[in-house]
Amino acid sequence: MGDDKASPSSMTKPSAIIFDMDETLVDTAALWRRAESGLLESLGHTWTATRAARYKGRNVADVAAFIHADVGADGPVEEWQRFFREALFRAFEEGPIVPMPGAAACVRRLGEIAPLAVASGSPLPLIELAMNRLALRDAFRVLISSEAVPRGKPHPDVFLAAAQELRVPPETCLVIEDSLAGARAAQSAGMACFVVPSVQAPELPGVATRVFASLDEILEGDASL
């Protein structure tokens, strides 16, 4: 699927593999939409897929700030960021927490190749909640939220922090993502990036190292790691 920037024979084994979480490992689209809809409705607006695609892949604070600016909301942005964060926590706690197709097999198989991390825009307690509920927590050496770094995706900060915690050079890491913002963050970090798109973006083939139809397809091309 898409254009490959490197053939399987030309790629080397990564020293670490960094997964995004939302819609890469966990099907959280409905949970985020529930929280986003609540924020928008409180501001007198409705959720649309077009608007959501514009902030796809960003963290809680950045999504709330985008919505605040997009609708011209009154009041301090920090108030709406707190509102949105609380709504997202409620959505995750109520669930359901469902894996993306092939997620468990992909994590277990790639964990045999290199140490793993999760680097996500979700708050750290929600990353931990999801990984524990899916019985995948033990597969990851590092869990990190972009709330812990100065800038969220599409900036590279969270991926660079994950590489630092794993004690590996960024340029030897492979990122697995679902969004254009995440792919741009990986590119800025100097990391290879495999993308299984949750939302189609025409720019993806020019940003990602490779684009796949599914996590299963990544495993089928196992030699390309």
Side-chain angles (χ1 to χ4, degrees):
M1 179 179 178
D3 297 325
D4 292 353
K5 291 186 178 179
S7 67
S9 61
S10 69
M11 296 189 70
T12 58
K13 177 182 173 182
S15 60
I17 301 172
I18 305 171
F19 284 87
D20 172 54
M21 184 181 80
D22 296 292
E23 294 188 76
T24 298
L25 291 176
V26 189
D27 187 1
T28 57
L31 307 183
W32 277 80
R33 178 172 176 174
R34 192 184 310 168
E36 292 159 19
S37 296
L39 176 58
L40 282 159
E41 288 167 8
S42 73
L43 296 170
H45 294 264
T46 57
W47 185 94
T48 66
T50 300
R51 175 181 279 131
R54 291 163 61 197
Y55 53 70
K56 172 68 183 165
R58 299 172 187 264
N59 66 20
V60 170
D62 289 345
V63 170
F66 177 95
I67 291 173
H68 182 272
D70 192 46
V71 304
D74 295 327
V77 66
E78 292 81 8
E79 176 182 346
W80 301 110
Q81 288 169 328
R82 287 193 298 271
F83 180 99
F84 181 58
R85 197 170 192 273
E86 291 168 1
L88 189 64
F89 269 72
R90 287 194 300 272
F92 267 73
E93 287 163 2
E94 294 167 3
I97 304 297
V98 180
M100 294 297 291
C106 190
V107 167
R108 297 301 180 189
R109 177 67 188 93
L110 297 189
E112 297 172 358
I113 294 172
L116 307 182
V118 173
S120 171
S122 280
L124 183 58
L126 301 187
I127 301 172
E128 293 174 338
L129 172 68
M131 294 300 97
N132 282 323
R133 286 198 187 173
L134 297 183
L136 292 175
R137 177 62 186 90
D138 65 301
F140 296 97
R141 292 193 188 178
V142 171
L143 303 180
I144 186 167
S145 167
S146 64
E147 291 188 334
V149 295
R151 302 173 299 175
K153 302 171 189 177
H155 300 287
D157 302 29
V158 72
F159 291 140
L160 293 173
Q164 184 176 25
E165 289 200 28
L166 289 166
R167 299 183 179 181
V168 296
E171 64 273 15
T172 65
C173 294
L174 169 67
V175 171
I176 299 181
E177 264 283 354
D178 73 294
S179 72
L180 179 61
R184 284 179 169 155
Q187 183 184 55
S188 295
M191 300 177 180
C193 185
F194 290 176
V195 179
V196 179
S198 59
V199 176
Q200 294 302 317
E203 306 96 324
L204 263 177
V207 178
T209 306
R210 299 185 68 186
V211 180
F212 293 84
S214 66
L215 294 174
D216 289 334
E217 189 177 87
I218 291 177
L219 293 187
E220 289 167 6
D222 187 64
S224 67
L225 297 173

